[in-house]
Amino acid sequence: MERLTALYPAAGNPFRAQEMVAYMKGVAPFLGIRTPERRALSRTVLAGTPRPGEDDCAAVALRCFALPEREYHYFAVDYLRRHVKRCSSGFLPVARRLVTTVSWWDTVDHLAAHVVGGLVAADPALASEMDVWIDDADPWIARTALLHQLRFKGDTDADRLFSYCLRRAADTDFFLRKAIGWSLREYAKTAPGEVRAFVAGNRSLFSPLSVREALRHL
C-alpha cells in the first residue's frame, strides 16, 4: 500500500483526471492514469511481493476501496481477479461489500464476472446466495447475480440464468435491463438456439433494450 499510494499519485494527470470524472459521470475522483500506464505501475508495486492469502486479498481490496480515487479501486479489482482462486467461499461477503462501495459498472462488472463468478465456479453451493442477490433491492447486487455466470460458457446453469432474467424483466433500471441482455448474449455464444427460443417465448416481458442486446449476434 505504501508503494501504491506513492507511485500512483506521482503518475497522475489532473487534466486527464477531469476527463475521466466526466466520462464516469462523477462517480469518483480520478488521479488521471490511463489503464496501460496504471497496470505497468501496478507491476512495479507488486514486484517481489509474496503470493497473498485470502486475508491479504481482503485487506488490500478493502483498503483500496477506502481511498477516494478510482484508480485504487481498479488496482483492487485487478488484484482480486489475479488471486481469486486463493480465496474461499468465505470471501463472498467481502465481494458483496466491494460491489456496494462506490458502485458503478466499471468495477461492478469485473467483480461480478471474475471475482463473484470465480467464487461460485469454485464452490457451486454459493449459487444459492446468487438466488438471494437477484432479488436484492440494490440494483448493483442484482446486476452481479445476473452477470456472475458471464464466463461460464458450457458450464452455465441455463435454468438459473433464464430464471434470473425473468425475475428482473419488469425492472426499469437501465443497468439491469442491459445486464439481462448482456448475460443472454454471452450465453448465446454457447447455446444460440436456447437463447433465441427463450427470448421468443418471453419477448413481451422484456424491455426492447434487453431484447436488442440479447439478440445482437443471432
Side-chain angles (χ1 to χ4, degrees):
M1 291 301 297
E2 289 177 1
R3 286 190 206 174
L4 178 65
T5 54
L7 288 176
Y8 266 31
N13 181 314
F15 297 103
R16 193 179 301 133
Q18 292 177 9
E19 295 175 351
M20 292 176 168
V21 169
Y23 178 71
M24 287 297 171
K25 308 297 186 184
V27 67
F30 279 78
L31 294 168
I33 310 172
R34 290 179 175 149
T35 298
E37 183 182 1
R38 176 175 57 79
R39 288 182 171 159
L41 288 169
S42 297
R43 289 192 289 272
T44 301
V45 169
L46 294 171
T49 59
R51 291 184 178 182
E54 182 174 328
D55 289 344
D56 300 315
C57 289
V60 168
L62 292 172
R63 287 179 69 181
C64 284
F65 267 76
L67 296 170
E69 290 84 8
R70 199 57 161 175
E71 287 90 343
Y72 295 119
H73 307 169
Y74 295 158
F75 176 89
V77 172
D78 287 346
Y79 190 74
L80 293 181
R81 286 181 59 171
R82 181 178 179 182
H83 297 296
V84 67
K85 291 184 178 179
R86 306 185 68 80
C87 298
S88 72
S89 56
F91 193 79
L92 189 63
V94 177
R96 181 186 174 99
R97 180 171 171 182
L98 299 177
V99 167
T100 56
T101 301
V102 196
S103 303
W104 199 241
W105 61 265
D106 56 335
T107 55
V108 169
D109 292 357
H110 290 291
L111 290 168
H114 298 281
V115 179
V116 175
L119 295 172
V120 176
D123 181 6
L126 289 180
S128 62
E129 290 296 317
M130 298 298 100
D131 294 343
V132 176
W133 286 26
I134 190 61
D135 293 319
D136 200 278
D138 186 330
W140 296 107
I141 292 294
R143 182 174 168 99
T144 299
L146 279 163
L147 298 180
H148 85 276
Q149 295 193 87
L150 210 59
R151 300 172 67 243
F152 282 23
K153 298 182 180 179
D155 294 325
T156 300
D157 183 335
D159 289 341
R160 178 169 270 114
L161 171 62
F162 293 158
S163 170
Y164 286 5
C165 291
L166 290 172
R167 282 155 73 171
R168 302 305 300 228
D171 207 295
T172 59
D173 182 85
F174 169 84
F175 290 103
L176 284 178
R177 289 181 167 185
K178 188 85 169 180
I180 289 170
W182 184 15
S183 62
L184 292 172
R185 184 176 78 241
E186 193 64 25
Y187 184 51
K189 296 176 183 178
T190 298
E194 289 185 41
V195 171
R196 190 182 292 110
F198 172 71
V199 173
N202 298 281
R203 194 181 190 108
S204 64
L205 301 177
F206 293 118
S207 69
L209 171 62
S210 297
V211 172
R212 184 169 62 252
E213 289 292 321
L215 302 180
R216 177 176 294 184
H217 301 304
L218 292 178

